[in-house]
Amino acid sequence: KDVDKPYLAKMTKGFSGADLTEICQRACKLAIRESIDADIKREKEKLKKLEAPKSKLTTSKWASKVTAGAKMDVDDEEDPVPEITKRHFEEAMKFARRSVSDNDIKKYEMFSQTLQQSRGFGTNFRFPDGQGGNAPTGGPPQSQGNFNNDEDDDLYS
């Protein structure tokens, strides 16, 4: 809720998707553990409150009071850690590490460019402006990229 996502993005520049996933999972686990610890503490406090008058009550009266109290407490309590907070991410970032170096990122970017160029499309793909998806009417013929009308490329001949 109070997590500054742009700042987190700035601080994790160069982290891989797996690195970011690890940070988020660690923050989530910290919040869950905190919630479980708070639940255990609340349960112990409830038991202490119920055990104090135990000596004054008979066993059956005490049991009915415990049962009635348990039914009422379920709806009245609010989860003390309902969300992952900035504090959880701050703790998770203490263990954060990059698994990919700047040099490796440059290699992947060069590979990506090479792969995109070898595919031949890049960002220049356009449908012709004719009706019904046919070739454009009028004007000079446009390049069709990898889809030239070569009769030699017929797969079934």
Side-chain angles (χ1 to χ4, degrees), residues 43-112:
E43 288 299 319
K44 286 181 180 179
E45 288 175 5
K46 279 184 203 176
L47 287 175
K48 283 181 183 178
K49 287 179 183 178
L50 292 174
E51 286 178 2
K54 184 178 179 181
S55 61
K56 297 179 184 177
L57 298 173
T58 63
T59 307
S60 61
K61 287 181 182 177
W62 183 77
S64 64
K65 187 170 185 167
V66 169
T67 307
K71 289 178 184 175
M72 290 175 52
D73 289 343
V74 172
D75 296 329
D76 294 339
E77 290 185 15
E78 185 178 322
D79 188 4
V81 188
E83 56 196 25
I84 302 170
T85 64
K86 180 171 64 172
R87 186 171 38 84
H88 298 122
F89 274 100
E90 288 170 348
E91 184 66 24
M93 286 297 291
K94 292 178 183 177
F95 302 94
R97 61 176 178 74
R98 285 180 55 188
S99 62
V100 182
S101 69
D102 288 333
N103 192 31
D104 288 338
I105 291 173
K106 288 177 185 174
K107 287 180 185 177
Y108 289 128
E109 287 172 349
M110 289 180 4
F111 175 72
S112 174

Side-chain angles (χ1 to χ4, degrees), residues 8-62:
L8 185 61
K10 181 180 173 184
M11 296 308 296
T12 56
K13 182 172 175 49
F15 281 53
S16 70
D19 299 337
L20 297 173
T21 298
E22 183 179 346
I23 292 167
C24 294
Q25 286 178 343
R26 187 176 297 270
C28 182
K29 288 176 184 178
L30 288 167
I32 290 169
R33 286 185 189 120
E34 190 174 287
S35 181
I36 290 170
D37 288 344
D39 283 345
I40 291 170
K41 185 177 178 180
R42 277 195 310 272
E43 288 299 319
K44 286 181 180 179
E45 288 175 5
K46 279 184 203 176
L47 287 175
K48 283 181 183 178
K49 287 179 183 178
L50 292 174
E51 286 178 2
K54 184 178 179 181
S55 61
K56 297 179 184 177
L57 298 173
T58 63
T59 307
S60 61
K61 287 181 182 177
W62 183 77

